[in-house]
Amino acid sequence: MSLLAVERLSVAFPGQVAVRDASFAIEAGETLALVGESGCGKSVTAFSVMRLLPPNARVTSGRILFEGTDLLAEPPAGMRRIRGKRISLIQQEPMTSLNPVLSIGAQIVEVLRRHEKLSRRAARARATELLDLVSIPDAHRRVDDYPHNLSGGMRQRVMIAMAVACGPKLLIADEPTTALDVTTQAQVLDLLDDLRHRLGMAVLLITHDLGVVAQWADRIAVMYAGRIVEKASIGPFFAEPLHPYSRGLLGARVDVDTDEHYLANRLSEIPGSVGSAAGEQGCPFAPRCPVAQAACRQAPPPLLELDAVDTGARAVACPVSVAQTGGRHAAAVG
Amino acid sequence: MRMGRRIATTLRRTVIHAGPTVLGIIVLDFLLLQLMPGDAADVIATEAGVATAETMAAIRERFGLDQPVLTQLMNFLGHLAQFDLGYSPRYNMPVLDMIMMRLPGTLLLMVTALSLALAMGVIVGSVMAAWAGRWPDRVLSVVVLLLYSMPGFWVGLMAVVLFSVKLGWLPSDGNMTIGAELTGFGLVADRLSHLVLPALALASFFVAVYARLTRASMLEVQRQDFMRTAHGKGLHPFFIQLRHALRNALIPVTTVAGMHLGNLLGGAVVVETLFGWPGMGRLALEAVLARDFSVLLGVLLLSSFLVILANVTIDLLHAWLDPRIGEAG
Ligand SMILES: Nc1ncnc2c1ncn2[C@@H]1O[C@H](COP(=O)(O)OP(=O)(O)O)[C@@H](O)[C@H]1O
Ligand SMILES: [Mg+2]
């Protein structure tokens, strides 16, 4: 049984479907990267797992199984026992995701005291330890600082300390480094990876940066216009991306061997824009796709699972590409 | 310790600002009052019914009213420096004594009304925000709109009609039952029952202002990322509203509360007159009618002190609510 299994999840806002039929799974201890252009539904997917969607969003179908229980059917009180304890969330903007009027210590203590039987003093001592764990210098003095006293990178470390405080099994990191400069980015991601190994948690790492994926993820799920279009392990994916969109992503990326700085992919270099997916009957990528055929515009292609031992669990929503690679993969409709 | 330093910074800044402000207020008030037609001598002479030119001149000379405006101002400031507010020609007693007799009444009324307005406004506003768009919000919105558009004196009059005249629950005049020899609990209850109606009449408009403001800023806060962080910790929604949302939402509310203090004092004049409440507001009105400028100046001066004092309180409250305030310099 997977730690987290999202099955055919669809989420809609009034007049707009943000996530369509998304399925993916995360095993205990692994890092799954969820990749896609901004606006493709990554955050909405993450918030669905936490059941923290904006009030105007509705889950229209699907199940989210965490350790076998369906989170979408969990009563609010049960959900509150899971949040912060079994599943934690780190958001994109460290500048706004901490409460400006409470000290960082108080904000860490709060989650500790919520889920663990700790005295005020013990919780404070534990908060200091956690700040130390995420390499905040002078933790015992910093614990009384307010968010505005800290830099963006430091705040994101505080967010991480808060997220791992109760030893969650799953950490959802929604573009945790997008707002940070490149050096800080690598430090924060190293820290996350280190903590993942030490605490034995799984990470759902949301990013639009393929460089980050190559360095820190075990598996990848590529999202386009609310759909998951390809799932693969990192090695095979970077060796041979199957979906035309994935190929576009990798092609748009400067050579893998150059300085990490240039790994930052430029998704916009694929001709056209994600906006063309709106109102598309068939494959959402068809309007931008170099290999699109007439059939692609009829109905959205299903995610085909490729059963190949050497490539690991792999799936792609593009029959054209599957046919092209033909002989090496035996395709089975999933 | 950190909190202490922030509060000290806030206090220092306020005092530096307050000094010149007070001086400006005094000079401006003094000059404005000179523009008013008539003086105390006119009124005294009229009331006495002997308005010969000699008696008028004598009165003016006695109180220094015949000197040039600038000399009068200098005299006034000179006395002020010795904490002497002057002498009332009309009541024949030192202005400071008169004001000190009335000050506690006004303070009690203002503090009660402001606390009531803030407490009720914040509670009503939070309830409206929590049920935004649903029926509790709609019903309260109508009530708030009514309070907002009805003048305080009218609310006061209606409250007198209902609670004093029809129901007979609460007294409508003065600040205590005259002649009743009350002690202990009875005394407090008597004072409180006299306080309820004027305080409510004075607070009504401000309840509406703070309720609308609280509702708007509570709704604004809900959209912030840190609210999702708080929910993501598994905290109870009620606790999150109280600890994370309200504290942030109160920052703009206290700012506006500070700006309204002057209005509150102005409203006190009307409410004190309406309810026969012995406070500074009524004293000011009496002083205007009697052209008793020294009393009026004293009242204005003390009022500006009150407003500054209240602003300091609000600033301190602000520094306590928002750690970003008072950190630098
Ligand atoms: N609060 C909201 N109201 C309406 N639409 C929203 C809201 N939040 C997100 N959406 C829509 O859902 C889609 C997915 O958004 P999101 O998951 O935030 O994208 P990203 O992949 O950049 O995280 C977007 O097209 C956006 O327009
Ligand atoms: Mg996002």
Side-chain angles (χ1 to χ4, degrees):
Chain A
M1 185 178 64
S2 303
L3 178 69
L4 178 80
V6 174
E7 295 177 353
R8 316 207 64 148
L9 176 74
S10 297
V11 183
F13 287 95
Q16 185 192 9
V17 181
V19 176
R20 283 174 203 267
D21 242 1
S23 301
F24 62 90
I26 303 178
E27 308 303 323
E30 76 169 355
T31 297
L32 172 72
L34 185 60
V35 181
E37 271 163 283
S38 135
C40 73
K42 306 182 298 290
S43 297
V44 170
T45 307
F47 298 157
S48 307
V49 175
M50 292 291 281
R51 285 252 307 268
L52 290 175
L53 285 167
N56 58 341
R58 261 183 1 104
V59 173
T60 49
S61 71
R63 293 199 302 169
I64 298 176
L65 301 177
F66 177 73
E67 295 179 324
T69 50
D70 186 359
L71 295 183
L72 295 178
E74 192 68 18
M79 208 55 224
R80 286 201 294 274
R81 276 192 295 274
I82 293 173
R83 289 185 197 134
K85 171 73 180 162
R86 319 278 307 157
I87 311 179
S88 292
L89 174 70
I90 299 172
Q91 299 185 81
Q92 174 169 348
E93 264 305 329
M95 298 320 231
T96 54
S97 49
L98 287 166
N99 191 332
V101 303
L102 298 175
S103 74
I104 58 173
Q107 296 187 58
I108 300 175
V109 162
E110 189 174 67
V111 68
L112 285 167
R113 305 242 307 163
R114 162 67 182 90
H115 294 292
E116 269 149 44
K117 293 249 167 297
L118 281 178
S119 71
R120 215 172 275 274
R121 276 184 65 174
R124 193 184 146 89
R126 179 93 186 94
T128 313
E129 273 172 40
L130 282 161
L131 288 178
D132 213 37
L133 181 73
V134 297
S135 311
I136 288 192
D138 256 349
H140 65 282
R141 275 201 307 121
R142 287 294 195 171
V143 71
D144 290 321
D145 270 2
Y146 288 91
H148 72 272
N149 302 125
L150 305 176
S151 68
M154 285 294 156
R155 289 188 211 191
Q156 205 59 304
R157 285 169 191 272
V158 172
M159 282 301 294
I160 293 173
M162 217 152 79
V164 302
C166 300
K169 286 288 145 232
L170 174 64
L171 177 69
I172 302 176
D174 186 2
E175 310 207 25
T177 57
T178 305
L180 307 177
D181 65 69
V182 182
T183 343
T184 321
Q185 226 177 68
Q187 288 169 356
V188 168
L189 286 165
D190 274 336
L191 170 69
L192 265 182
D193 202 48
D194 176 48
L195 288 175
R196 164 171 80 107
H197 286 116
R198 276 210 258 174
L199 307 175
M201 52 181 189
V203 177
L204 174 59
L205 180 64
I206 298 179
T207 177
H208 57 242
D209 187 338
L210 282 178
V212 167
V213 178
Q215 197 167 350
W216 282 284
D218 300 317
R219 288 194 305 122
I220 184 171
V222 180
M223 213 170 182
Y224 185 80
R227 292 172 191 277
I228 294 203
V229 295
E230 180 161 5
K231 290 190 285 194
S233 297
I234 291 306
F237 179 83
F238 282 94
E240 189 188 21
L242 289 181
H243 197 279
Y245 177 62
S246 312
R247 287 209 292 270
L249 286 184
L250 272 164
R253 203 178 127 218
V254 182
D255 195 348
V256 184
D257 294 327
T258 53
D259 184 10
E260 186 190 314
H261 187 86
Y262 292 102
L263 283 178
N265 61 309
R266 293 177 192 77
L267 297 160
S268 54
E269 287 175 17
I270 303 171
S273 79
V274 68
S276 62
E280 182 63 41
Q281 296 273 311
C283 174
F285 191 59
R288 297 167 79 182
C289 182
V291 298
Q293 300 173 353
C296 295
R297 295 177 173 271
Q298 302 301 315
L303 199 61
L304 302 173
E305 297 210 349
L306 307 180
D307 175 31
V309 189
D310 59 329
T311 55
R314 187 151 198 196
V316 60
C318 181
V320 179
S321 307
V322 171
Q324 275 174 2
T325 42
R328 290 187 295 114
H329 303 291
V333 178
Chain B
M1 329 96 269
R2 186 168 297 209
M3 178 73 91
R5 197 172 68 230
R6 267 173 33 219
I7 286 175
T9 313
T10 308
L11 267 183
R12 192 169 60 236
R13 208 186 45 221
T14 313
V15 169
I16 292 171
H17 286 178
T21 311
V22 172
L23 191 69
I25 289 172
I26 296 169
V27 174
L28 206 66
D29 282 347
F30 192 90
L31 296 179
L32 275 177
L33 290 184
Q34 295 298 325
L35 293 177
M36 237 165 50
D39 61 14
D42 289 330
V43 178
I44 294 173
T46 316
E47 284 181 356
V50 279
T52 63
E54 293 84 61
T55 46
M56 301 272 285
I59 295 173
R60 290 208 169 97
E61 194 188 333
R62 175 152 172 249
F63 297 110
L65 296 175
D66 54 347
Q67 294 180 3
V69 173
L70 214 57
T71 319
Q72 287 190 43
L73 176 61
M74 285 306 152
N75 283 343
F76 181 71
L77 288 179
H79 285 131
L80 205 59
Q82 300 155 36
F83 298 100
D84 176 7
L85 284 179
Y87 196 82
S88 162
R90 178 83 204 300
Y91 296 93
N92 241 331
M93 65 190 282
V95 171
L96 192 61
D97 294 356
M98 291 181 62
I99 290 178
M100 281 308 157
M101 273 164 50
R102 301 294 192 96
L103 185 63
T106 291
L107 269 184
L108 180 65
L109 188 60
M110 262 184 70
V111 169
T112 312
L114 186 62
S115 319
L116 259 178
L118 267 177
M120 283 167 56
V122 166
I123 291 173
V124 169
S126 305
V127 170
M128 283 162 78
W131 277 274
R134 281 174 284 164
W135 70 263
D137 180 31
R138 305 221 168 141
V139 172
L140 285 174
S141 291
V142 173
V143 175
V144 163
L145 189 66
L146 281 177
L147 286 181
Y148 191 75
S149 41
M150 289 187 305
F153 75 87
W154 194 79
V155 175
L157 277 176
M158 291 305 119
V160 168
V161 169
L162 181 62
F163 293 108
S164 305
V165 180
K166 288 254 190 271
L167 297 173
W169 288 354
L170 292 165
S172 66
D173 193 51
N175 67 343
M176 58 178 159
T177 310
I178 296 174
E181 301 273 324
L182 293 166
T183 49
F185 183 75
L187 180 76
V188 174
D190 180 59
R191 294 293 171 100
L192 276 183
S193 69
H194 280 86
L195 183 59
V196 172
L197 287 184
L200 278 179
L202 189 52
S204 66
F205 171 78
F206 298 94
V207 171
V209 173
Y210 301 150
R212 279 158 46 131
L213 203 64
T214 306
R215 178 186 188 274
S217 65
M218 279 297 266
L219 287 178
E220 174 65 33
V221 170
Q222 307 302 321
R223 286 204 297 272
Q224 305 283 320
D225 285 344
F226 65 76
M227 290 298 284
R228 183 177 278 119
T229 305
H231 284 286
K233 293 179 187 176
L235 303 172
H236 194 278
F238 184 75
F239 179 80
I240 293 176
Q241 293 306 323
L242 216 61
R243 184 172 153 101
H244 288 266
L246 193 58
R247 187 124 178 229
N248 277 281
L250 279 182
I251 294 171
V253 176
T254 48
T255 309
V256 172
M259 298 192 305
H260 278 150
L261 283 166
N263 299 4
L264 194 67
L265 207 58
V269 176
V270 176
V271 168
E272 283 176 7
T273 309
L274 182 64
F275 287 94
W277 185 268
M280 283 204 321
R282 233 180 58 185
L283 183 63
L285 185 68
E286 289 160 10
V288 171
L289 295 178
R291 298 291 187 276
D292 197 340
F293 294 153
S294 44
V295 171
L296 199 51
L297 265 178
V299 171
L300 290 176
L301 184 64
L302 237 87
S303 305
S304 51
F305 269 130
L306 271 189
V307 170
I308 287 170
L309 202 71
N311 271 310
V312 172
T313 318
I314 295 279
D315 275 354
L316 291 179
L317 191 66
H318 226 156
W320 174 72
L321 282 172
D322 189 347
R324 286 160 297 190
I325 291 174
E327 282 253 307

